[in-house]
Amino acid sequence: MTRKHVVIIGGGFGGLTVARSLRHADVTLIDRTNHHVFQPLLYQVATAALSPGDIAWPLRTLFRSQRNVRIIKDDVVSIDRAARMVSLRNSLPIAFDVLIAAPGSRHAYFGHDKWESAAPGLKTMTDAVQLREKMLLAFEDAERRRTSTGVPTQLTFVIVGGGPTGVELAGALVELGRKAMGPDFPHLCLDDLSVILVEAGPRLLPAFDAELSAKAVAALTRMGVMIKLRSPVSDVHVDGVRVGQEWIPSTNVIWAAGNRASPLLNTLSTPQDSFGRIKVRQDLTIPDDRWIFVIGDAAHCVGRDEKPLPGVAPVAMQQGRYVANLIDRDVAPDKRPLFVYADRGMLATIGRAQAVAQFGSIHTSGLFAWLLWCVVHIFFLIGFRNRFRVMSEWVWYYLTFKPGARLIFERPAAAQNIPSTDHARE
Amino acid sequence: MTRKHVVIIGGGFGGLTVARSLRHADVTLIDRTNHHVFQPLLYQVATAALSPGDIAWPLRTLFRSQRNVRIIKDDVVSIDRAARMVSLRNSLPIAFDVLIAAPGSRHAYFGHDKWESAAPGLKTMTDAVQLREKMLLAFEDAERRRTSTGVPTQLTFVIVGGGPTGVELAGALVELGRKAMGPDFPHLCLDDLSVILVEAGPRLLPAFDAELSAKAVAALTRMGVMIKLRSPVSDVHVDGVRVGQEWIPSTNVIWAAGNRASPLLNTLSTPQDSFGRIKVRQDLTIPDDRWIFVIGDAAHCVGRDEKPLPGVAPVAMQQGRYVANLIDRDVAPDKRPLFVYADRGMLATIGRAQAVAQFGSIHTSGLFAWLLWCVVHIFFLIGFRNRFRVMSEWVWYYLTFKPGARLIFERPAAAQNIPSTDHARE
């Protein structure tokens, strides 16, 4: 058995798991950033409850002691199946024996790409930091306008999409706004803030049981979130969003409504679904190449119920372990077991001491589900140090309501446009 | 005694101290950012040893319980002494009874402003984050070129200026490069890295005793820093720097050589020194207005030895307390005591377990000075939580050499220019 050269595209949950699991191959892991992000907590960075460094780790540090893994920070431009090479933006092409494509997805706007600038989404650390800055600046602007003109300012946040990300963002935003930000902005009245969660379908958290969806609606409503169901967004502008026939004025629209797999996958020239995902076989390979795998939310992988598996971390990690095992043991294509996803359940947090959980037929909500959510998320954080850090951040945050992550960085571009702004020492 | 409206420009050490000390006045604190930065540790953010949130605090959080202080995040454009108003970029002008101008300074290029883009300085959190990113990307690029082409890559960092900032940066950089980054970049040889510290004058740390300057040179040389004294920089380009007659190729030049007070001070129309600092009287007021104060490194304030006081945090903080006392007690101009700076000594850190300290006639260096430096800096960090955090960060960093702050954020502008870069999940 010869030692294979395995190229992995993407350092998310799927790619990272493959690279960590492979012991008998030379691995090249390519990512356009230098870090892995714990995506399930990204909304906490966006709402200034955690700092970026709390939920991201340099890939080089993660693989420091694994000498068979080489890291390349670069963009993969295309995949050449015939030549068995990937082309990179800034380096020479790299040949592979085995390829694992785990490039992930971006938020999608159902064909309205121009909505993105007015309604940014939340997929990467850069998204989260920009969202945080936009949100904090909105509070600063409202306070400044209020003190400057005396006129009350309505501060409206609209979140589009009632899945877990939308629900988590809505809960975190209203908590931050109502409890933590309030005392800091003495001229803003709490009634000036409204958080509106908009969902096209008939209920929140459609992947969960209907009873838990109803609990989520009840909990968010108690917290002060306004929920609009059966309300498809028909237009987004810089100053507001059209929901059904209603126009909601808001300069703070956040998009959590749709995903589209990376366009890199188009260069594989193999069938894709309507979200751009590659339709993989039951061993996660593409139809006519048994050594090119696609995993994570870039893959359209059919589960036992004939529906595609959801784009969540446990799916990507189980796929990663499955693929690494095939490669390490050099399992011939005709001897491979089928990939089967072991569904361990679903969790979504709503706010402080509020979550919903569904494990097979066991459904739970409220404080117990939230404690479960905390345990699971801390358990899966990679590395003791960050577990400890995030835990202490959370404890501190929940005790004091003083987020330690509320820095607005100046934008260098803007700073250059304003010649005389360097008067305030920072 | 009527209640005065005090306007403070700048939330650095000086402005912050005034605002925290004033109890019997209505205070408006204006800063162009939303946070106070503990500047003495900025170089640790720039060298990825600490995260931004570890050394910066939102001003609103700091003043949450002090209800006489109002925060405005805005740029002051000019000061109108006759009308007793300050003009802001985004809000209506604000009238004052008493003004404290503490706008700080920026790095200066001795009239060569075009050097700035090639040789950035380190004054603000944005500077630090950009420097960190540039430095980390330089390592990534060198590694990528090495693995892609096989040709060894010389990685040269040039630091211009042998004051405390230059010395601290040089020490931290060589430590990060030689000890922490080495294992992460297996294709970079340690000899590929050189850190060059360039100083125009005859010795490092000119404010310290000559004996301590020599100790700093010896310690830095042992660590692997190349030091060039009596070496004025005559030109800076994007691909290198001319030092005397020598051309040093480097795409990583850092400027730590000169300061210039904020140009806002020009609108005061009162005598300034060659660094743009306002020449203040012995009560820190400007010559013809006894209720306009200038403090911090925006002030040219003469000490007992007839030399201007240095632009360091202790001077700004003592000035802040002095001014707040005059205002709170409404001391008439002719009854004011002179401001006298109580020099408690100077400290500069060189590297792990290496520092120099000078307290009057007591000079010390090495581990003891470094422990002193740690104690002083932790003691002055505002707020228990950050003290604890930074301490645990340091302990962790020094034990493991694994900086937890090595994230490269994508630049949004660059990301927009590259349409197909969203293939790697972050």
Side-chain angles (χ1 to χ4, degrees):
Chain A
M1 163 172 151
T2 55
R3 200 168 168 89
K4 292 197 175 68
H5 180 219
V6 179
V7 168
I8 303 169
I9 302 172
F13 284 109
L16 194 73
T17 304
V18 179
R20 286 162 77 96
S21 309
L22 280 173
R23 293 290 159 180
H24 306 299
D26 294 318
V27 178
T28 299
L29 174 60
I30 309 169
D31 197 299
R32 64 185 290 232
T33 76
N34 76 335
H35 52 271
H36 168 76
V37 172
F38 193 80
Q39 267 191 342
L41 294 180
L42 213 47
Y43 79 96
Q44 295 219 356
V45 172
T47 52
L50 290 175
S51 288
D54 295 333
I55 63 156
W57 305 266
L59 289 168
R60 295 192 183 280
T61 305
L62 291 174
F63 289 102
R64 177 176 282 202
S65 55
Q66 206 178 321
R67 306 310 283 179
N68 65 325
V69 177
R70 177 173 68 140
I71 310 287
I72 294 184
K73 180 189 175 303
D74 207 339
D75 296 328
V76 179
V77 183
S78 66
I79 301 165
D80 184 339
R81 281 169 48 190
R84 302 196 89 66
M85 307 269 269
V86 295
S87 298
L88 305 179
R89 189 169 304 279
N90 301 307
S91 326
L92 297 177
I94 294 178
F96 60 82
D97 301 316
V98 181
L99 179 72
I100 290 119
S105 61
R106 286 289 288 172
H107 31 272
Y109 293 84
F110 313 127
H112 300 88
D113 288 351
K114 67 186 170 62
W115 292 358
E116 177 155 21
S117 60
L122 182 61
K123 279 280 178 190
T124 69
M125 189 59 85
T126 304
D127 295 341
V129 171
Q130 287 180 338
L131 212 52
R132 176 179 77 177
E133 181 168 301
K134 189 177 176 184
M135 187 197 69
L136 295 174
L137 283 174
F139 278 92
E140 292 284 350
D141 282 349
E143 169 89 2
R144 188 168 53 216
R145 266 180 296 152
R146 185 75 169 93
T147 51
S148 198
T149 66
V151 181
T153 319
Q154 191 65 31
L155 194 55
T156 305
F157 290 89
V158 178
I159 296 153
V160 182
T165 302
V167 165
E168 285 166 347
L169 269 174
L173 251 177
V174 80
E175 273 189 349
L176 179 68
R178 297 210 156 231
K179 295 191 176 153
M181 304 290 283
D184 285 352
F185 295 90
H187 298 87
L188 292 184
C189 164
L190 289 187
D191 289 342
D192 295 343
L193 173 71
S194 51
V195 176
I196 303 171
L197 178 60
V198 170
E199 162 63 36
R203 60 190 180 95
L204 298 184
L205 302 174
F208 285 74
D209 195 85
E211 154 220 358
L212 292 178
S213 297
K215 289 213 164 127
V217 169
L220 283 174
T221 307
R222 262 198 316 275
M223 291 165 70
V225 176
M226 185 186 294
I227 296 164
K228 291 179 181 288
L229 299 174
R230 296 186 184 80
S231 302
V233 166
S234 54
D235 206 359
V236 180
H237 281 278
V238 95
D239 57 349
V241 53
R242 185 167 304 282
V243 178
Q245 294 310 306
E246 186 190 5
W247 173 255
I248 306 175
S250 169
T251 52
N252 293 284
V253 182
I254 303 167
W255 193 261
N259 289 328
R260 182 159 185 91
S262 163
L264 172 70
L265 298 167
N266 305 344
T267 67
L268 276 173
S269 308
T270 180
Q272 290 164 273
D273 68 8
S274 59
F275 300 103
R277 294 179 293 193
I278 299 288
K279 294 183 172 169
V280 294
R281 302 154 67 114
Q282 280 300 312
D283 64 351
L284 308 178
T285 55
I286 63 174
D288 38 7
D289 193 319
R290 303 304 291 262
W291 293 105
I292 294 182
F293 298 86
V294 182
I295 64 173
D297 52 0
H300 176 110
C301 174
V302 175
R304 286 186 228 198
D305 55 359
E306 297 299 311
K307 286 196 290 191
L309 295 175
V312 296
V315 170
M317 292 168 84
Q318 288 181 29
Q319 290 178 333
R321 274 190 292 271
Y322 167 84
V323 168
N325 189 42
L326 293 187
I327 298 167
D328 254 357
R329 292 182 27 226
D330 198 23
V331 182
D334 54 340
K335 300 220 173 95
R336 292 177 186 169
L338 306 183
F339 170 74
V340 179
Y341 172 54
D343 188 352
R344 308 251 189 263
M346 287 185 296
L347 278 161
T349 182
I350 296 164
R352 186 185 307 238
Q354 287 285 345
V356 292
Q358 178 169 332
F359 303 96
S361 60
I362 302 169
H363 300 172
T364 175
S365 63
L367 177 64
F368 178 70
W370 183 78
L371 288 173
L372 211 60
W373 179 90
C374 288
V375 168
V376 167
H377 282 79
I378 287 170
F379 180 79
F380 278 109
L381 280 176
I382 294 158
F384 165 76
R385 174 160 169 274
N386 289 77
R387 270 177 218 160
F388 172 77
R389 272 172 70 104
V390 169
M391 224 168 3
S392 66
E393 288 290 320
W394 279 347
V395 169
W396 190 267
Y397 178 51
Y398 285 143
L399 287 179
T400 64
F401 283 109
K402 280 191 192 177
R406 292 215 304 267
L407 307 184
I408 303 176
F409 298 125
E410 301 155 73
R411 291 168 214 230
Q416 279 161 12
N417 293 339
I418 304 167
S420 64
T421 48
D422 53 346
H423 63 270
R425 187 203 305 181
E426 290 134 86
Chain B
M1 160 171 152
T2 56
R3 199 167 168 89
K4 290 196 175 68
H5 180 217
V6 179
V7 169
I8 303 170
I9 302 172
F13 284 109
L16 194 75
T17 305
V18 178
R20 286 162 76 97
S21 309
L22 280 173
R23 294 289 158 179
H24 306 298
D26 294 319
V27 178
T28 299
L29 174 60
I30 309 169
D31 197 298
R32 62 185 291 234
T33 78
N34 75 334
H35 51 272
H36 168 75
V37 172
F38 192 79
Q39 266 191 342
L41 293 181
L42 213 46
Y43 79 97
Q44 296 219 355
V45 173
T47 53
L50 291 174
S51 288
D54 295 332
I55 62 157
W57 304 268
L59 290 168
R60 295 193 182 281
T61 304
L62 291 174
F63 288 101
R64 177 176 282 202
S65 56
Q66 206 179 320
R67 305 311 283 177
N68 64 325
V69 177
R70 177 172 68 138
I71 310 288
I72 294 184
K73 182 189 173 301
D74 208 340
D75 296 326
V76 179
V77 183
S78 65
I79 301 165
D80 184 339
R81 281 168 49 189
R84 301 195 90 65
M85 306 270 267
V86 295
S87 298
L88 305 179
R89 187 169 305 278
N90 301 306
S91 327
L92 298 177
I94 295 178
F96 60 82
D97 300 315
V98 181
L99 179 72
I100 290 120
S105 62
R106 285 289 287 172
H107 32 273
Y109 292 84
F110 312 128
H112 301 90
D113 288 351
K114 68 186 171 60
W115 292 0
E116 176 156 20
S117 60
L122 182 62
K123 279 280 177 190
T124 69
M125 189 58 86
T126 304
D127 295 340
V129 171
Q130 286 179 341
L131 213 52
R132 177 178 76 175
E133 181 168 300
K134 190 177 176 184
M135 190 197 67
L136 295 174
L137 283 174
F139 277 92
E140 293 284 350
D141 283 349
E143 169 90 1
R144 188 167 51 214
R145 267 181 294 152
R146 184 76 168 92
T147 51
S148 201
T149 66
V151 180
T153 320
Q154 191 64 33
L155 195 55
T156 305
F157 291 89
V158 178
I159 297 153
V160 182
T165 302
V167 165
E168 285 167 347
L169 268 174
L173 251 177
V174 82
E175 272 189 350
L176 179 67
R178 297 211 154 231
K179 293 192 177 150
M181 304 289 283
D184 285 354
F185 294 89
H187 297 87
L188 291 185
C189 163
L190 289 187
D191 289 343
D192 297 343
L193 173 72
S194 51
V195 176
I196 303 170
L197 179 59
V198 169
E199 162 63 37
R203 61 189 179 95
L204 298 184
L205 301 174
F208 285 75
D209 195 84
E211 154 220 356
L212 292 177
S213 298
K215 290 214 165 126
V217 169
L220 284 174
T221 306
R222 261 199 315 277
M223 292 165 70
V225 175
M226 185 187 294
I227 297 164
K228 291 178 182 290
L229 299 173
R230 296 186 184 81
S231 303
V233 166
S234 54
D235 205 359
V236 180
H237 282 277
V238 98
D239 57 349
V241 55
R242 186 167 302 283
V243 178
Q245 293 310 306
E246 186 189 4
W247 173 254
I248 305 176
S250 169
T251 52
N252 293 284
V253 183
I254 303 167
W255 193 261
N259 289 328
R260 185 163 181 90
S262 164
L264 172 70
L265 298 167
N266 306 342
T267 67
L268 276 173
S269 308
T270 179
Q272 290 163 272
D273 69 8
S274 59
F275 300 103
R277 294 180 294 193
I278 298 289
K279 294 183 172 170
V280 294
R281 303 156 65 117
Q282 280 300 312
D283 64 351
L284 309 178
T285 55
I286 63 174
D288 39 6
D289 194 320
R290 304 305 292 260
W291 292 105
I292 294 182
F293 298 86
V294 182
I295 64 173
D297 52 0
H300 176 110
C301 174
V302 175
R304 287 186 226 195
D305 55 0
E306 297 300 311
K307 287 197 289 192
L309 295 175
V312 295
V315 170
M317 292 169 83
Q318 288 182 30
Q319 291 178 332
R321 274 189 293 271
Y322 167 85
V323 168
N325 189 42
L326 293 187
I327 298 167
D328 253 359
R329 291 180 30 226
D330 198 24
V331 182
D334 54 340
K335 299 220 174 96
R336 291 176 186 170
L338 306 184
F339 170 73
V340 180
Y341 172 53
D343 188 352
R344 308 251 188 265
M346 286 185 297
L347 279 161
T349 182
I350 296 164
R352 185 186 306 235
Q354 287 286 345
V356 292
Q358 178 169 332
F359 304 97
S361 60
I362 301 170
H363 300 170
T364 175
S365 62
L367 178 64
F368 179 71
W370 183 78
L371 288 173
L372 212 61
W373 179 89
C374 287
V375 168
V376 167
H377 282 81
I378 288 170
F379 181 80
F380 278 109
L381 281 175
I382 295 157
F384 164 76
R385 174 160 168 277
N386 288 77
R387 269 177 220 162
F388 172 75
R389 271 171 68 103
V390 169
M391 226 171 356
S392 66
E393 288 289 320
W394 280 347
V395 169
W396 190 267
Y397 179 51
Y398 285 141
L399 288 179
T400 64
F401 283 109
K402 279 191 193 177
R406 292 214 306 267
L407 307 184
I408 303 175
F409 298 126
E410 301 154 74
R411 292 168 212 231
Q416 280 161 13
N417 293 338
I418 304 168
S420 65
T421 48
D422 53 346
H423 64 270
R425 187 202 305 177
E426 294 132 86

